[in-house]
């Protein structure tokens, strides 16, 4: 300190009189003054503020509630300069970090007993440096960091934009006006001050005396970089503590003699930290939306449990969640998949990945010392995007060192390019690529999250980086000639007025030809992008995979069941998200975010690509698509967020078959959102065996209104769902004419709701309630309201345990009905007397036909094949013993009717039907049916 006072000379003497007026008691008052409390309140409000992306986790979400400190390891300059050649992530996942130090102990004395004043905290992109600093500031504001009486954080990105000289005191009051009372005593009191310099890589620092002069006066105006240098030199405010955060490539910008401790943020190298993070994030009150009850809470616990089991298997996701940023992405994706009711309707999966990149790379320049000043995300799109695209095209997810060299180093020509590559490998490489954990592939690399490979491949294509050499040279020549032609135009206009040189305008027009020709080539390039999108979206070899949302779910939560044997051949790699991300990146919102990251996609380019897509995507979608592939197509339209394009695409979908697709709340929202682009009627919507419930029907209500034929079989729809169906059928805009609810637990109460719907509905002509547990009570309720209906033509009440009274009650009403001519009553508990009464019905006399048996008097029923096909189709969902009993009764009835006829033709028909029934009974007994 004496050296500082001597060097300060006149500056120190000029300051001394004013500072000498502050007595120790006055200084203590300053330390505990209201100014610092106001400063704490202001900092707490600022640093507790969360990005918009965090609001989806519920109103109770806060940094205090969900923060998990990453592992911090004490390091040294030697380790930084000579990093271990081993795969760092792999080692850290297999063994705990040594020399672990907590955030609050960073300023403890070092191994030699010296007090540490300057700490350099470094880590690659995504390890949580900025979040850790936020938490540190919030802890101080709430009294959890008593070591320091005043904390003054600075953003080096903010400081890098200003080069005008400014004094340290003016800089502090400019950023934090509440500290005006405190600033005058800085350096003249025993106030324990901590300066935080976040993101040092953004500043160009020169520690040479020739580059940055010494300055110990806080009132002396100097450039902001000089203030930082002199603070770190301990020449300015030597008693102050300083913590610097930076990326590994910039650590060497500070000479080692000015650093008391190096500390590396190792992320969540312990899987227990990953589990704790997921537990805190996904179990937040309100995470699953307002009004969520015990069911949502159980679902949250189940998600955490499944995720923990997957982490324990040491799958690739464990290596991904080494980075806290990817833990955030996993939680956000799960929230998107499972708690859709709290996600804004415009939220998309592409938007999540784009926002994720913005949170990690917004405003980031790869190397602030490089004259190109290329944004980090732009560099990633050009290099890692190329690797990702080539992997997608060759159906490859594992990459060797040779693959990396071909993508990163093959075009390196200048010193600047090599320097950028070195910075990238040091700071960013591990964010996107991590060592493969599969046995036998330890020395290869995979994308940290599989979907990130498809996102970056899509970004690479949409940005137009996929060019041939001729296209790249042509673009550069076009730009040069275009600029030259503008200058030539001025010269030609002047010369032509003086000299009659007729060839000059001709030469000028020739110069214009090349840019015009290249613009046509650009148009073809956009056609090629649309063609690539269509080809990848409708690949026939991917037709029978799970839909992409289920694939993402499996990649995060794993697949329950026995693990694959190491020697077993792996499944073919699937890249169905790639074309979907291409469409999502073209949406206006994602283009705006990518613009902030330095990846510009012009409106005209997006418009021309969308225009070209109409010729390819919509045309190919008109071909019949399997249910899972159709779900992917609907998800693509949702991600694209282009209403005009979606409207034209949806109009071509007259029949929508999503049978056996597990319709989660998210998928229901996607279907409803996409179909809302138009108001056209849908001929048929097949949602058989889709795990629907009452909330699903509420979400899909606007879509169901417009469907003529609605298939809702095998969905466990109970009375609550029937209440929704009642409201649907009673709606004045309902056009449903055929409704199939077979194999749902409708029950008596549900039948009551459906009966009310029948009484007031004007569109329904066919209603199937086969095997819905109606019982006599449900059938009686339908019979009571059936007379008020004037449009129903066919009613199926088969396999509902109806007795004679209920069956005859329905038939009696049906006989008086104007349009109802067919009632299905097979596989019910009808006695011989009831059978005889129903046998006596005649269409020409009674106006209704009851389908009860395979016989019609002494002849075979015209509907025998229909009844047997219904049995065969539904047998997997019915009680086999009861079906066997009913088939035995049908066989007995057939044999009895055959014995009563003498007509050989009829006998032959009876024998044919009997053989079919016997065949079914035989297969039932063998268990092959």
């Amino acid at each position: 300190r004496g050296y500082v006072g001597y060097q300060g000379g006149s500056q120190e003497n000029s300051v001394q009189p004013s500072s000498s007026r502050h007595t120790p008691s006055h200084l203590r008052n300053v330390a505990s003054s209201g100014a610092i409390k106001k400063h704490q309140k202001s900092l707490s409000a600022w640093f507790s503020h969360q990005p918009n992306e965090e609001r989806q986790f519920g109103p109770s979400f806060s940094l205090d509630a969900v923060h998990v400190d990453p592992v911090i390891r004490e390091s040294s300059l030697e380790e930084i300069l000579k990093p271990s050649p081993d795969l760092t992530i792999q080692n850290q996942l297999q063994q705990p970090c040594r020399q672990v130090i907590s955030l609050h102990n960073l300023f403890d004395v070092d191994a030699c007993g010296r007090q540490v004043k300057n700490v350099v905290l470094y880590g690659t992109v995504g390890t949580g440096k900025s979040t850790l600093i936020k938490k540190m500031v919030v802890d101080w504001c709430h009294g959890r960091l008593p070591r320091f009486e005043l904390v003054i954080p600075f953003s080096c990105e903010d400081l890098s934009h200003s080069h005008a000289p400014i004094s340290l005191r003016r800089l502090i009051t400019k950023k934090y006006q509440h500290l005006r009372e405190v600033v005058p005593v800085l350096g003249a009191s025993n106030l324990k001050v901590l300066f935080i310099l976040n993101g040092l890589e953004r500043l160009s620092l020169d520690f040479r005396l020739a580059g940055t002069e010494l300055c110990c006066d806080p009132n002396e105006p100097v450039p902001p970089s000089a203030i930082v240098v002199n603070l770190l030199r301990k020449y300015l405010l030597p008693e102050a503590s300083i913590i610097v955060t930076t990326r590994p490539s910039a650590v060497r910008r500070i000479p080692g003699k000015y650093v008391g401790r190096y500390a590396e943020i190792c992320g969540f190298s312990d899987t227990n930290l990953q589990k704790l993070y997921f537990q805190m994030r996904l179990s937040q009150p309100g995470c699953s939306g307002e009004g969520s009850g015990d069911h949502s809470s159980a679902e949250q616990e189940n998600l955490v449990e499944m995720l923990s089991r997957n982490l324990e298997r040491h799958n690739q996701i464990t290596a991904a969640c080494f980075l806290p940023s990817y833990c955030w992405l996993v939680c956000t994706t799960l929230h998107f998949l499972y708690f859709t009711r709290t996600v804004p309707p415009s939220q998309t999966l592409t938007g999540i990945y784009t926002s994720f990149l913005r949170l990690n790379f917004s405003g980031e320049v790869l190397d602030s010392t490089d004259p190109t000043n290329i944004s980090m995300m732009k560099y990633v799109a050009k290099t890692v995007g190329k690797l990702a695209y080539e992997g997608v095209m060759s159906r490859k997810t594992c990459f060797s060192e040779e693959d990396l060299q071909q993508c990163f180093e093959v075009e390196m020509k200048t010193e600047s390019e090599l320097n950028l590559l070195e910075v990238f490998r040091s700071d960013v490489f591990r964010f996107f690529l991590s060592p493969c954990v599969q046995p036998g592939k330890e020395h290869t690399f995979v994308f940290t999250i599989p979907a990130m490979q498809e996102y970056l491949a899509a970004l690479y294509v949409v940005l137009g980086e996929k060019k041939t050499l001729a296209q790249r040279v042509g673009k550069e020549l076009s730009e040069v000639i275009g600029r030259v032609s503008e200058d030539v135009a001025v010269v030609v206009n002047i010369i032509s007025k003086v000299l009659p040189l007729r060839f000059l305008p001709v030469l000028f027009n020739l110069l214009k030809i090349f840019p015009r020709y290249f613009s046509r080539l650009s148009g073809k390039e956009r056609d090629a992008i649309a063609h690539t999108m269509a080809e990848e979206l409708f690949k026939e070899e991917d037709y029978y995979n799970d839909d992409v949302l289920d694939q993402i779910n499996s990649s995060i939560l794993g697949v329950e069941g026995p693990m694959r044997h190491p020697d077993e051949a792996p499944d073919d790699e699937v890249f169905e998200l790639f074309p979907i991300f291409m469409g999502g990146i073209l949406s206006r919102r994602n283009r705006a975010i990518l613009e902030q990251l330095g990846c510009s996609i012009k409106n005209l380019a997006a418009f021309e690509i969308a225009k070209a897509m109409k010729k390819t995507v919509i045309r190919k979608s008109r071909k019949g698509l399997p249910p899972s592939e159709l779900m992917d197509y609907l998800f693509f339209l949702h991600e694209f967020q282009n209403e005009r394009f979606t409207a034209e695409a949806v109009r071509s979908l007259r029949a929508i078959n999503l049978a056996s697709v597990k319709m989660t709340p998210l998928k229901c929202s996607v279907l409803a959102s996409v179909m809302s682009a138009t108001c056209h009627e849908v001929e048929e919507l097949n949602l058989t065996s889709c795990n629907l419930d009452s909330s699903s029907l509420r979400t899909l209500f606007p879509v169901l209104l417009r469907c003529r034929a609605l298939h809702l079989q095998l969905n466990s729809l109970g009375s609550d769902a029937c209440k929704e169906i009642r409201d649907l059928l009673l709606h004045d805009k309902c056009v449903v004419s055929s409704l199939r609810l077979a194999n749902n637990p409708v029950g008596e109460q549900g039948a009551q709701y459906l009966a009310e719907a029948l009484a007031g509905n004007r569109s329904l002509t066919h209603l199937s309630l086969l095997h819905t547990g109606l019982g006599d009570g449900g059938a009686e309720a339908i019979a009571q309201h059936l007379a008020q209906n004037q449009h129903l033509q066919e009613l199926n009440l088969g396999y509902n345990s109806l007795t004679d009274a209920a069956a005859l009650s329905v038939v009696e009403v049906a006989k008086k009905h104007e349009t109802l001519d067919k009632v299905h009553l097979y596989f019910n508990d009808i006695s011989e007397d009831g059978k005889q009464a129903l046998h006596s019905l005649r269409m020409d006399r009674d106006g209704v036909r009851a389908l009860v048996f395979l016989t019609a008097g002494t002849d075979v029923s015209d509907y025998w094949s229909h009844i047997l096909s219904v049995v065969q189709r539904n047998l997997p969902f019915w009680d086999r013993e009861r079906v066997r009993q009913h088939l035995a009764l049908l066989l007995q009835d057939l044999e009895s009717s055959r014995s009563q006829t003498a007509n050989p033709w009829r006998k032959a028909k009876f024998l044919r039907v009997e053989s079919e029934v016997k065949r079914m009974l035989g297969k039932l007994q063998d268990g092959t049916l």
Side-chain angles (χ1 to χ4, degrees), residues 325 347 407 410 414 429 483 567 574 589-590 632 671 785 919:
S325 292
Q347 179 67 288
C407 281
V410 71
T414 66
F429 179 83
R483 289 193 296 267
D567 298 332
V574 178
R589 178 178 178 274
N590 286 317
D632 288 347
L671 177 58
H785 291 80
R919 185 178 61 81

Side-chain angles (χ1 to χ4, degrees), residues 289-304:
E290 297 180 3
S292 57
D294 296 336
H295 173 73
S296 295
S297 177
E299 188 173 28
Q300 288 173 290
E301 292 176 4
N302 185 47
L303 277 180
V304 173

Side-chain angles (χ1 to χ4, degrees), residues 490-509:
V490 177
V491 176
V492 167
N493 286 333
I494 295 172
I495 295 177
S496 62
K497 292 178 181 179
V498 181
L499 298 174
L501 299 177
R502 298 179 181 272
F503 68 90
L504 288 178
V506 176
L507 177 62
F508 172 61
N509 289 329

Side-chain angles (χ1 to χ4, degrees), residues 207-460:
F207 281 82
R208 299 172 305 156
L209 289 177
T212 305
E213 64 176 341
L214 297 173
C215 177
C216 66
D217 186 357
N219 294 316
E220 179 71 23
V222 293
S225 59
I227 293 177
V228 172
V229 167
N230 281 291
L231 283 173
L232 290 169
R233 283 172 172 167
K234 289 300 165 205
Y235 204 74
L236 181 63
L237 300 186
E239 293 300 323
S241 299
I242 301 172
I243 184 168
V244 173
T245 67
T246 185
R247 302 200 301 256
S249 64
V251 170
R252 288 168 289 181
R253 296 184 189 178
I254 306 176
K257 62 182 179 180
Y258 298 128
V259 179
R261 174 171 283 128
Y262 291 95
E264 180 187 9
I265 301 182
C266 298
F268 295 153
S269 54
D270 185 352
T271 54
N272 290 324
L273 292 178
Q274 299 175 8
K275 292 180 185 179
L276 179 61
Y277 181 92
F278 293 130
Q279 177 77 32
M280 297 176 73
R281 275 273 177 168
L282 295 174
S283 301
Q284 279 292 298
C287 175
S288 56
E290 297 180 3
S292 57
D294 296 336
H295 173 73
S296 295
S297 177
E299 188 173 28
Q300 288 173 290
E301 292 176 4
N302 185 47
L303 277 180
V304 173
E305 178 63 27
M306 291 179 69
L307 193 53
S308 296
R309 286 203 297 268
N310 202 22
L311 290 170
E312 288 168 1
R313 296 189 190 108
H314 293 285
N315 288 339
Q316 198 64 49
I317 191 174
T318 313
C321 294
F322 163 81
L323 294 174
S325 292
Y326 277 100
C327 292
W328 180 92
L329 181 61
V330 167
C331 286
T332 308
T333 305
L334 285 176
H335 196 277
F336 178 66
L337 292 175
Y338 284 91
F339 307 123
T340 313
R341 50 190 164 271
T342 62
V343 176
S346 60
Q347 179 67 288
T348 62
L349 184 67
T350 315
I352 288 175
Y353 274 74
T354 309
S355 298
F356 168 69
L357 293 174
R358 176 177 64 180
L359 289 174
N360 287 278
F361 294 98
S362 181
E364 291 285 347
V365 175
L366 184 60
D367 185 3
S368 60
T369 62
D370 188 78
T372 60
N373 215 30
I374 186 172
S375 77
M376 189 179 288
M377 197 61 229
K378 180 69 172 177
Y379 187 88
V380 167
K382 290 166 68 86
T383 54
V384 187
K386 180 182 178 183
L387 180 72
Y389 173 75
E390 291 182 356
V392 168
M393 289 297 102
S394 58
R395 311 290 261 188
K396 184 168 69 173
T397 57
C398 292
F399 303 92
S400 65
E401 188 66 36
E402 293 179 0
D403 296 328
L404 302 182
Q405 288 176 357
Q406 287 179 0
C407 281
F408 296 146
E409 299 179 10
V410 71
E411 296 182 3
M412 296 292 131
K413 298 176 183 178
T414 66
E415 183 73 16
S416 174
E417 290 174 337
L418 289 173
N419 290 339
L420 287 175
L421 179 61
E422 184 182 351
V423 172
F424 168 79
R425 279 190 172 273
S426 171
D427 298 348
V428 192
F429 179 83
R430 286 194 295 173
F431 184 85
F432 292 104
L433 293 158
S434 60
C436 184
V437 299
Q438 293 181 21
K441 297 183 178 180
E442 291 84 357
H443 297 288
T444 61
F445 295 87
V446 296
F447 278 83
T448 312
I449 290 282
M452 185 58 75
Q453 178 179 354
E454 298 176 77
Y455 181 94
L456 292 177
L459 184 61
Y460 177 77

